[in-house]
Amino acid sequence: YRDEMLPVLPGLLSYWVFGIGQVVSTRIAPGFSFGRCTLAVLLDQFCLTWMLLAGGIWVAPFGFTPAVASIGHGLRHGPRFAYFSCAVSLVLVSAVMYLSPFWRANPPFAIGLVLAVVCLPLYAAALSTRLTRDKQQVEQHARRLEEVAADARERLQQRQTELAHLSRLSTMGEMA
């Protein structure tokens, strides 16, 4: 067990160092950085697939992690990063499935994993895009309703002012 997990350690340690570096980098220079996001995709996918290659059966339960990383990049930075991460993941996971004796010995699982790293992020990106579009439509509709309500309030105030003025005129006419 220990000897089999030893090759996973470089990927795991690299992933932790990379994660700490991301946090520090974001603290120093907050905000979007195309270079930092691109590097994050590449390092995420490389570290995760390295562990899949090196760990075989011991990391098989975590085979979904490249797909989750692609979804995360897409949700944080937009669909283009989901597509980019998905493409990188597809290449690297396919290479792992080809190079690893464990994954070659389990073709149905390997094929399912390759499909998952493509289908899940693309589906999540489509959902995210749709939710963003629907949210914008709802916000636009809410703005229109606010305008209609403001216009109705203004007309009601004008009508009340007119009625108050007519009431005063009527009262003056009765007094005369």
Side-chain angles (χ1 to χ4, degrees):
Y1 166 83
R2 287 183 187 163
D3 292 340
E4 293 171 359
M5 287 300 292
L6 198 55
V8 174
L9 287 180
L12 191 58
L13 292 174
S14 298
Y15 199 62
W16 285 341
V17 169
F18 159 65
I20 292 167
Q22 276 288 92
V23 169
V24 169
S25 170
T26 304
R27 293 269 183 185
I28 291 171
F32 179 79
S33 165
F34 182 81
R36 182 172 54 216
C37 293
T38 302
L39 183 62
V41 167
L42 295 172
L43 290 174
D44 259 351
Q45 295 300 348
F46 180 78
C47 290
L48 293 171
T49 53
W50 171 263
M51 288 185 278
L52 287 176
L53 176 64
I57 194 168
W58 297 105
V59 295
F62 303 101
F64 63 90
T65 55
V68 171
S70 294
I71 292 168
H73 287 292
L75 291 176
R76 279 190 307 275
H77 308 299
R80 286 188 308 164
F81 276 95
Y83 304 144
F84 173 59
S85 185
C86 186
V88 171
S89 178
L90 174 63
V91 169
L92 293 175
V93 169
S94 295
V96 166
M97 299 304 128
Y98 178 76
L99 295 172
S100 167
F102 168 76
W103 294 107
R104 276 199 319 268
N106 296 287
F109 188 52
I111 291 168
L113 194 56
V114 170
L115 289 173
V117 300
V118 173
C119 296
L120 292 175
L122 293 181
Y123 181 65
L127 282 177
S128 177
T129 300
R130 173 86 189 253
L131 287 171
T132 300
R133 188 185 71 228
D134 289 352
K135 179 183 173 201
Q136 289 170 344
Q137 289 175 346
V138 166
E139 288 171 346
Q140 184 179 17
H141 186 66
R143 281 192 297 274
R144 277 193 240 125
L145 288 174
E146 287 173 357
E147 290 171 4
V148 167
D151 188 46
R153 267 193 314 274
E154 186 178 320
R155 282 186 281 158
L156 182 62
Q157 288 172 346
Q158 286 175 351
R159 180 69 67 170
Q160 287 174 335
T161 303
E162 289 172 4
L163 288 173
H165 182 66
L166 286 174
S167 177
R168 278 194 301 260
L169 288 177
S170 169
T171 306
M172 289 171 135
E174 288 176 6
M175 294 174 99

